[in-house]
Amino acid sequence: MTSDATDDTIAGGALQATRDASVRLADILDNADDAIISVDQTHTITLFNRGAERIFGYTATEAIGRNLTLLLPTRTAHFHDKYVREFGASAMQSRRMAERSTVAGRRRDGSEFPAEVSISKISSSEGLTYTAILRDITARLEAEGNLRDRNRRLRLALSAGQMGMFEVDAMGRSMSRDETAQKLLGLGPSSGDHSPDDFFVRVHPDDRASVQAKVKKFLAETEDAAIEYRIVLPDGSIRWIAAYAAKERGASGRTGRAVGVLRDITDRKHTEETLEARVVERTAALREEIERREEAQAALVRSQKLQAVGELAGGMAHDFNNLLTVITGNLELLGLRQLDDKARDLIRRADEAAKMGSRLSGRLLAIGRRQRLQPVALDLNDITRSMTDVLKRTLGDEIEIQTTLAADLCEALADVSEVENAILNLAINARDAMPHGGKLIIASENKSLGPDDVAGEAGLKPGEYVVLSINDTGVGIPPHLLTRVFEPFFTTKDVGRGTGLGLSTIYGFAKQSGGHLAIYSEVGKGTSVRLYLPRAAAGAAAAASISSADPKLAVDGETILVVEDNADVRDVTIKRLDMLGYRVLRAENGQAAVALLESAERIDLVFSDVMMPGGMTGFDLVRWVRANKPTIKTLLTSGFTGEVARNGNSDLNDVEVLRKPYAVAELARAVREALSSAPI
């Protein structure tokens, strides 16, 4: 091969390489994300890559050959001329603009957008050519604007919350702090080269060591920090500051600067100190209250022990009086005989000793509260009203006291002080049965009881009574304990809280007065204690005239369904209604009553007890009757007062609850009124 051929080969290879490089360069330019545009000296577009097509919306065919003003809004048309002049003036010294500029671009649809542009100049035999690399920076400017808005809102939030912002470097030197931080700390702006001590120059001397130790620990570790400390301002005032700081991490992973906020927490600290002082004060008050209650409890225990001793003393006095009766009687018999002076002197001495024994027995009776009763005619309503304030103070705010006092109440015959003691003791028992609060309902009423009326209450005799009821909504008494509540020394209270003499003492007083004490209770429902006292003569006469009125009898074969689980009560009720002329059906519980009601039997009235086994109460039965047999009338009965019996059944306030025990006349009236009532 000749040298010429070799040269041609080399030249051809170089030309091909140049062509390949040009193709690659053209391909790179054409596929760049940015717009690449070239214009000649007349501002005519000579190059328009795909990036330019995407950004401006023109195709290369549409753009090439047209003036640059096609892509620029009118107000920025001078942009090209400006840089042509600059390049022209330094054509020999510069081939590229010194820095990028921001201009406005115009798309094919007429919309404008911000663009960052860089222009280069190429000089050739054909003249000058200008190439611009243009980038749409709309998204970037929006992000920067959003960042500025977030920073502005952050500053506003910090300002509204009276929080200042600060920055420190990895050595703890203060880099910057805003105006709020300066104001909080009583310092000027940070110069950026302060020492670590500068930031805490206002720290209270008593807090300085602990604060510096915490800051040192924070700088050495990667955890965030929260520090509360006092500062002393230039005017000498002391404020509490809370500093919260978080660390930034550099690209190398080493801990960089820390950014944080400051807040004045003086008011909060003062509030905490006030609350702490109140807690201390309240704790002391509670301690005193506990001590007072312990003393009161000890006094109560002593009182109950004395009461127990009194019971024993009363019994001893009774036996002792029997012995004294024998002794003094025999001495009197001996004194009737003919005796010498020496014998009479012995009898006299023995008689004096017996009298001393009698006085001693009287003291024992006083301790045992067995002194003679002084019954008088009294108004139980007046006594109840007069004791309301005492009961409120004794029972506390958690117990709501209600009274249901009969307007026509007769006078009772009893000892006033014993009645007051009975009311107070029964109210205290009710309070103990309601540890979480509840209702105490005191009710009064007249009762005329015949033999049938007292059949279900052992120890209650027929007669004319004034009844005072103490009702509570407490825990109730289980049936196996209910029969023992009147036994002396029996109690369900904790050790030291009761001697078991309260109810037995009231029971003894009631029986000694010619009355009775009855109790009715359901677990989870409450307890009702009824004190029966004999009526005074005037009241008894008036009541007798009322009770002697002829009871209203049945008409037209009216049929009553008696629903009662207690067989004795059920039998006596049926006998009474039969005596009044009613046809009577019986059922032991609500389910049996429903079965009869669904039969073809004629039933005009359902007379049901409130509390029954089987899960269906008297109120539930009334609801069933009203829903399924609305023409049948209803009447309920309970050992509780109506208010207690209706607890949780306020939707049936119109249903009468006849209180046990009741007289025949009361039963006749209630049945007649129920049968004559308007349909529901």
Side-chain angles (χ1 to χ4, degrees), residues 281-424:
E281 180 182 352
R282 181 58 180 161
T283 301
L286 287 174
R287 188 179 296 110
E288 293 177 0
E289 177 68 12
I290 291 172
E291 292 175 355
R292 186 190 66 78
R293 291 191 178 188
E294 287 177 347
E295 292 175 358
Q297 181 67 21
L300 177 61
V301 171
R302 289 193 297 271
S303 175
Q304 291 172 336
K305 288 180 178 179
L306 287 175
Q307 187 175 0
V309 172
E311 291 288 333
L312 178 61
M316 293 175 60
H318 176 269
D319 293 339
F320 192 34
N321 279 335
N322 288 337
L323 294 175
L324 289 174
T325 300
V326 175
I327 293 172
T328 55
N330 281 290
L331 289 174
E332 289 176 352
L333 293 174
L334 286 174
L336 295 176
R337 296 186 179 186
Q338 296 294 328
L339 299 173
D340 57 23
D341 292 340
K342 184 176 181 181
R344 290 185 178 277
D345 183 62
L346 293 174
I347 292 174
R348 180 183 59 80
R349 291 175 182 272
D351 186 61
E352 290 178 354
K355 290 178 180 178
M356 291 178 62
S358 178
R359 289 192 293 270
L360 177 60
S361 175
R363 292 175 184 175
L364 290 174
L365 285 172
I367 294 174
R369 301 179 67 182
R370 298 290 182 86
Q371 65 271 26
R372 185 187 301 273
L373 295 177
Q374 297 179 349
V376 295
L378 51 86
D379 189 332
L380 293 182
N381 286 351
D382 289 343
I383 292 178
T384 301
R385 294 188 189 100
S386 67
M387 293 187 66
T388 300
D389 290 339
V390 174
L391 293 178
K392 287 180 179 179
R393 290 193 298 270
T394 303
L395 304 184
D397 294 335
E398 292 184 347
I399 307 298
E400 178 185 350
I401 300 176
Q402 295 182 358
T403 56
T404 305
L405 306 178
D408 59 342
L409 191 69
C410 298
E411 289 185 327
L413 188 64
D415 189 298
V416 176
S417 62
E418 292 298 325
V419 171
E420 292 175 342
N421 287 333
I423 294 174
L424 182 60

Side-chain angles (χ1 to χ4, degrees), residues 539-559:
S545 63
I546 296 173
S547 62
S548 63
D550 292 335
K552 297 179 180 179
L553 303 179
V555 295
D556 193 25
E558 290 169 319
T559 302

